[in-house]
Amino acid sequence: MPTLDDFRSKEFLDQITILNEISGSKDPEALAGLVDLLKNPVGDTSIDYMVVNALNAVLSSNEAKVVEGLTDSHDGFRILCIRVAGEYAFKSAAAPLVDIAESETDPDRLMEVLTSLARIGDPSAMTVFRAQLAHEDPFIKSSCIEALGKLGDTESISSFKDLVIESEAPGRYEVCDITTWKAIEALASFANDDTIAFLVEKLHHKNPTVRRIITDALITIGSPCIPLLFEAFETGDKDNKILSANVLGFVGDRSGADGLVAAFDKGLAEDPNVRYAVYEALGRIGTMKGIICLVDGLHEEDELILMAVIGGLEKHVNPGMIASLTSQVAKADDQAERLAKAVIASRATRIFDALYESEGAGDMLVDALSGSKDPEIVEDFRSILTEIGGDRAQADIARLPQLSAGTRKALAADDSRSMCAMHRAILTDLGFEPSIGGNGEEAYDFVERGEDFDIIITDMNMPVMDGMELVSKVRNTPGYEDIPIIMVTTESEASQQDMAEKAGVTAFVTKPFKPDTLKAKIQELIG
């Protein structure tokens, strides 16, 4: 076995070898010597660091010594024992750690103790965690919130709710702090009717980042949220209807689709933004009732809503739907033209392939494709026509334009597939080469890779990273301080635009909008 005798007089490489062997063997006989080396370091940074690692390894197999060390007079050894107790979840350390936490006044040491207690997960620590919910340090407070959530402390639920309610107070709602975030996660961990109802009630929180966290939490909870989301959809305002439909779509439960169809039939989706959200949700879920509702939506005239309908149907192609769509596109009237453009802009290749069998419908689709200015879309459908083959397909391929990428670059972020398709169509029409992100994080990846953009378009409410966070990160990126940013949103409250302007948004476009509206705004900002 390795020995620490005369360790200080040994060569550097020998010292490393000895400490590595002790770390591997966890030899308890080395404990006293390691403690001495910790308390009286040799003075070489790398050796002193390896002493700590070796001591950690030995202590991991000696719970009694760790508990004893929690009250050691040496600050470094005491902190190490606190950390080891948490790292290896030593249950017998819970009681003495609780005693330490109740009298500790130094925030850093208190955080060490609370972190270890949280890792141990003993219910005896709940009183300590509750007591620290009023601590002025947000990291200590959030650590206690997280621990109480994991311990299932129902007595703290009201405190968690208060934290979320207080976060909407004037002067506070513009920032999502870590305690609000942790309070939402803790409430979600209970997943009972009371906490779910509260989260649904706060779904349209004043802060978009909080909205995203609540949305993610409800999606994670899943089907137990559905009855309360229906209630919010039926009784809430436009914003609550939109957000409830979005969550129902991402949960993906069949009962969610059936409920949305029923609400649609009751006339609760008259607002175009709400209707758009319902179609998107039905497309994600894909039940028979939902598909029938989407087929009924083929009469919609608004371009964006129609793209949501086509995008939803593209995922669930079936003979009945194709027959209905074929008959409508083959009419070659104004609505047929709108449908053909929606199929092309949505990159609905499965629908295109099926409709092309009808010569009349195929002609309408190729006419729409010939008018596209998006080289990627044209190439996608050129490939489909090549696979179909035959004289007719070859003649249609010859009609397609040869396009090159735009000379200017634009970035767009939206979690809606149809909205991304709309942005792409608008930007390519204006001669831009578009980069598209399905959320703020995906969009910001383009920025981090060093791409340059002439303009940025973003939604406000998105999963993973919302539009507000994206705008803030972009504005703090060198070279992007003055790039025009347009925020496209359904939000109707003036406070939301005020927040966005402070974050760095240049202009707004409110959904639903005509493509020409966004085009005009882009041209106004950069020509």
Side-chain angles (χ1 to χ4, degrees):
M1 299 296 288
T3 177
L4 290 172
D5 294 343
D6 301 320
F7 181 83
R8 297 174 190 277
S9 64
K10 295 183 183 296
E11 295 292 330
F12 177 79
L13 291 178
D14 291 335
Q15 290 176 333
I16 289 177
T17 301
I18 292 169
L19 292 172
N20 277 332
E21 289 178 0
I22 291 173
S23 293
S25 66
K26 301 181 182 180
D27 181 10
E29 293 184 7
L31 182 58
L34 289 170
V35 171
D36 177 67
L37 287 170
L38 175 72
K39 294 181 177 181
N40 303 286
V42 298
D44 185 293
T45 304
S46 53
I47 295 297
D48 292 338
Y49 177 77
M50 291 185 69
V51 166
V52 173
N53 286 341
L55 185 52
N56 185 304
V58 174
L59 288 171
S60 70
S61 301
N62 197 330
E63 184 169 345
K65 188 64 179 179
V66 170
V67 173
E68 180 186 326
L70 295 175
T71 54
D72 194 273
S73 59
H74 187 270
D75 201 44
F77 183 58
R78 187 170 66 253
I79 293 296
L80 180 61
C81 288
I82 291 170
R83 292 174 180 171
V84 171
E87 183 178 353
Y88 297 97
F90 290 153
K91 291 291 184 182
S92 62
L97 284 171
V98 166
D99 292 338
I100 294 169
E102 287 175 344
S103 59
E104 186 59 72
T105 57
D106 181 83
D108 292 334
R109 286 197 293 268
L110 178 59
M111 188 66 177
E112 293 278 4
V113 175
L114 294 173
T115 299
S116 286
L117 281 171
R119 288 175 174 171
I120 294 169
D122 192 287
S124 65
M126 287 196 288
T127 53
V128 168
F129 291 132
R130 288 187 207 126
Q132 299 299 336
L133 287 179
H135 201 285
E136 61 182 13
D137 187 312
F139 293 102
I140 288 176
K141 186 188 294 189
S142 62
S143 176
C144 292
I145 294 168
E146 185 175 17
L148 289 166
K150 288 179 178 178
L151 288 167
D153 181 34
T154 55
E155 288 186 33
S156 298
I157 288 177
S158 60
S159 298
F160 300 156
K161 289 180 180 179
D162 288 343
L163 288 168
V164 179
I165 292 169
E166 290 164 8
S167 70
E168 286 195 287
R172 286 199 55 191
Y173 68 85
E174 293 186 5
V175 177
C176 171
D177 58 38
I178 190 171
T179 54
T180 304
W181 168 29
K182 291 299 180 181
I184 292 166
E185 288 189 342
L187 288 167
S189 68
F190 293 97
N192 58 39
D193 288 346
D194 176 45
T195 58
I196 294 172
F198 177 80
L199 291 173
V200 171
E201 178 190 337
K202 292 298 178 184
L203 186 54
H204 190 242
H205 191 281
K206 288 184 178 180
N207 183 280
T209 301
V210 177
R211 288 198 292 272
R212 171 175 61 78
I213 295 168
I214 293 175
T215 296
D216 291 346
L218 292 172
I219 292 169
T220 300
I221 293 169
S223 55
C225 302
I226 290 175
L228 291 159
L229 288 167
F230 282 150
E231 184 178 335
F233 187 93
E234 294 193 356
T235 62
D237 59 14
K238 179 191 75 172
D239 293 320
N240 279 288
K241 281 179 165 60
I242 292 168
L243 292 169
S244 297
N246 288 343
V247 175
L248 287 166
F250 282 115
V251 168
D253 191 280
R254 295 178 64 86
S255 65
D258 293 345
L260 286 173
V261 171
F264 203 101
D265 292 340
K266 291 177 186 177
L268 297 176
E270 295 300 313
D271 182 275
N273 284 316
V274 175
R275 211 154 62 249
Y276 172 82
V278 170
Y279 285 136
E280 284 252 312
L282 293 176
R284 288 191 179 104
I285 302 171
T287 64
M288 185 56 68
K289 287 183 180 179
I291 293 170
I292 291 170
C293 186
L294 286 167
V295 171
D296 290 343
L298 292 172
H299 72 277
E300 296 278 359
E301 295 186 2
D302 181 273
E303 293 177 67
L304 182 57
I305 295 177
L306 199 54
M307 287 173 70
V309 172
I310 293 295
L313 291 174
E314 168 71 2
K315 301 172 186 175
H316 312 287
V317 171
N318 65 60
M321 177 265 285
I322 290 299
S324 176
L325 191 48
T326 299
S327 65
Q328 293 190 56
V329 176
K331 290 178 181 178
D333 55 13
D334 289 345
Q335 184 63 8
E337 185 178 343
R338 282 189 282 268
L339 286 166
K341 286 182 177 178
V343 169
I344 300 304
S346 299
R347 280 174 143 165
T349 54
R350 295 177 66 201
I351 290 177
F352 180 96
D353 193 17
L355 293 185
Y356 190 77
E357 293 182 12
S358 164
E359 189 168 346
D363 288 344
M364 290 296 295
L365 291 171
V366 174
D367 285 344
L369 180 58
S370 299
S372 173
K373 295 181 181 179
D374 188 328
E376 288 189 20
I377 284 181
V378 171
E379 287 308 308
D380 280 352
F381 288 103
R382 194 192 305 274
S383 297
I384 298 295
L385 288 169
T386 301
E387 290 177 12
I388 292 171
D391 293 341
R392 178 173 151 234
Q394 286 301 315
D396 286 335
I397 289 173
R399 294 172 54 195
L400 301 183
Q402 297 292 332
L403 301 173
S404 57
T407 55
R408 298 181 293 181
K409 289 188 175 184
L411 175 64
D414 203 295
D415 61 316
S416 160
R417 182 177 182 271
S418 51
M419 195 71 240
C420 286
M422 174 68 82
H423 287 325
R424 187 174 191 93
I426 289 169
L427 291 167
T428 52
D429 276 354
L430 291 175
F432 287 91
E433 180 185 345
S435 296
I436 308 293
N439 55 58
E441 184 174 87
E442 289 182 8
Y444 190 67
D445 283 345
F446 289 104
V447 176
E448 283 193 308
R449 289 201 292 267
E451 299 222 18
D452 294 322
F453 297 103
D454 297 282
I455 195 162
I456 296 173
I457 303 167
T458 180
D459 188 19
M460 178 178 282
N461 298 314
M462 294 182 287
V464 186
M465 182 191 291
D466 58 84
M468 294 286 285
E469 188 176 352
L470 171 62
V471 172
S472 296
K473 288 177 78 71
V474 166
R475 288 299 185 220
N476 285 303
T477 301
Y480 281 86
E481 296 88 351
D482 301 316
I483 299 297
I485 299 177
I486 299 174
M487 182 165 277
V488 179
T489 180
T490 61
E491 292 294 331
S492 54
E493 292 184 13
S495 63
Q496 300 298 297
Q497 289 200 7
D498 289 343
M499 266 194 299
E501 285 177 349
K502 289 177 182 176
V505 171
T506 313
F508 298 87
V509 172
T510 304
K511 299 177 186 176
F513 60 87
K514 299 292 184 185
D516 286 346
T517 303
L518 181 53
K519 285 181 180 179
K521 183 61 68 176
I522 293 170
Q523 289 171 323
E524 173 191 328
L525 293 175
I526 65 172

